[in-house]
Amino acid sequence: MNVENIKNILKQFNEEWGDKFSDWLVEHNDYEQGSTKRKSVKKSDRKSDVNTIVSWRNYIAHGQESKTTNVTLVSVKEKFTTINELVAFIEGLVKPKPTPDYNS
């Protein structure tokens, strides 16, 4: 699995979701200056981060640990930021929007 697979899966549910995912991969969204939090990943790196973490998972799951020598606590922590952003993005796509109750 890679970003293209994710995009294709999203498109099977809703054509627009795949396009929004493609846009999400390249958009830019830094934290405000002076924030103590790590700056959001350069969005051009999102595609690379997602593909990398999926590759690591596959190598580990298939007993190819020798291909994961570059997997460190720091590298996983950096990629984890992107994965959290991905989960939040997908949740925003698929979670139903609340409808206003005008009868109250």
Side-chain angles (χ1 to χ4, degrees), residues 15-72:
E15 190 74 26
E16 189 177 287
W17 290 358
D19 296 334
K20 287 182 178 182
F21 176 68
S22 293
D23 293 342
W24 175 84
L25 286 171
V26 297
E27 74 183 15
H28 189 70
N29 181 20
D30 286 336
Y31 287 102
E32 289 182 23
Q33 249 184 340
S35 172
T36 58
K37 293 182 180 179
R38 177 179 176 267
K39 279 193 173 185
S40 185
V41 178
K42 288 181 184 174
K43 302 316 172 211
S44 59
D45 295 337
R46 280 180 168 166
K47 181 177 181 178
S48 174
D49 285 354
V50 172
N51 286 337
T52 297
I53 207 149
V54 169
S55 294
W56 290 345
R57 179 260 168 225
N58 290 340
Y59 292 144
I60 293 167
H62 296 284
Q64 299 174 334
E65 288 85 2
S66 63
K67 294 183 178 181
T68 61
T69 55
N70 62 338
V71 179
T72 65

